[in-house]
Amino acid sequence: MTSTVPASLTRTAEGSTLQAVLLDMDGTLVDTEGFWWDVEVEVFADLGHRLDEAWRDVVVGGPMTRSAGYLIEVTGAAISLEKLTVLLNDRFEARIGDGVPLMPGAARLLAELAAHDVPTALVSASHRRIIDRVLDSVGRHHFALTVAGDEVTRTKPHPEPYLVAAAGFGAEPWRCAVVEDTATGVAAAEAAGCRVVAVPSVAPIAPAPGRAVVPSLEHVDLAFLRGLVSAE
């Protein structure tokens, strides 16, 4: 985890009950979920295996160990999880070397949160090396804190990443708004006790108590996030 915020930070967003906004990365802020699948297809092709498109919904949004492990299991590829993880990260890092496209509405939302001094964190299942490369495109100045999947004991769908982020701000999880694009990320945030807005990128996500579902970040602004946290 990297942070520029003291653990004692408890400020709120202009008097609202919202204490912090915690954002997923792949498929939420940056349009990279397709990049990951393309990389997985390419790497397994090099290993002599063809990935079934139906497996995409299984691996999307998951931590590297789960996604890679699943693909090894279903293909029977003769490669260790450790070696496959390195191959996937290497290929993905090369793919995003020239930058990554932001999701519609992402730049505006990040600018609005910064303008109102809302404590904002990036919480991703991707490894630190990948997050740091993506931050070159998104702008690391938007985030006072970042949490990577290889920096926690248990990553998404376990709640630990979001609990770590909330604790880093000295915030109550239930007063944190999380923006996620996959069922895996939503499960992690809700298990942590956060309020969630889901912006599905690949597979649909149903609305639920304490959770809103919108078609894109263009429907999400600070007022929306405050209302999500303030709702009874």
Side-chain angles (χ1 to χ4, degrees):
M1 179 181 74
T2 62
S3 174
T4 59
V5 180
S8 60
L9 176 63
T10 57
R11 60 181 172 168
T12 61
E14 296 185 353
S16 107
T17 58
L18 177 68
Q19 288 186 325
V21 174
L22 316 178
L23 300 162
D24 175 53
M25 187 177 76
D26 294 297
T28 299
L29 288 179
V30 292
D31 191 7
T32 50
E33 290 291 13
F35 287 11
W36 277 113
W37 178 248
D38 290 346
V39 163
E40 288 160 348
V41 169
E42 292 170 6
V43 168
F44 274 89
D46 291 344
L47 295 172
H49 297 274
R50 183 177 181 276
L51 298 189
D52 190 316
E53 185 71 22
W55 299 337
R56 183 175 182 178
D57 288 350
V58 179
V59 300
V60 66
M64 178 70 73
T65 52
R66 190 196 74 182
S67 299
Y70 172 82
L71 293 175
I72 290 173
E73 180 180 355
V74 294
T75 61
I79 187 172
S80 69
L81 180 59
E82 182 179 8
K83 289 182 178 179
L84 178 59
T85 297
V86 171
L87 286 177
L88 291 173
N89 277 326
D90 285 348
R91 188 73 63 92
F92 184 81
E93 192 169 1
R95 177 67 63 90
I96 64 173
D98 294 328
V100 294
L102 270 65
M103 298 295 286
R108 175 203 48 79
L109 177 60
L110 290 172
E112 183 180 15
L113 295 175
H116 291 269
D117 295 322
V118 180
T120 304
L122 186 69
V123 184
S124 176
S126 290
H127 289 186
R128 170 57 56 188
R129 59 181 286 197
I130 300 300
I131 289 179
D132 285 344
R133 180 58 67 90
V134 170
L135 286 174
D136 291 339
S137 294
V138 178
R140 61 186 71 246
H141 61 282
H142 289 299
F143 307 100
L145 184 152
T146 61
V147 179
D150 56 340
E151 295 174 341
V152 291
T153 304
R154 293 160 293 187
T155 189
K156 304 174 187 179
H158 195 275
E160 182 180 348
Y162 284 111
L163 292 174
V164 167
F169 285 134
E172 297 289 343
W174 66 274
R175 294 178 71 178
C176 295
V178 170
V179 185
E180 273 280 0
D181 73 302
T182 67
T184 297
V186 167
E190 291 181 343
C194 302
R195 297 298 178 93
V196 179
V197 53
V199 189
S201 63
V202 176
I205 299 173
R211 178 202 309 168
V213 180
V214 299
S216 82
L217 289 180
E218 294 177 319
H219 295 260
V220 180
D221 58 15
L222 181 53
F224 182 96
L225 296 173
R226 285 175 174 162
L228 184 68
V229 170
S230 299
E232 294 294 333

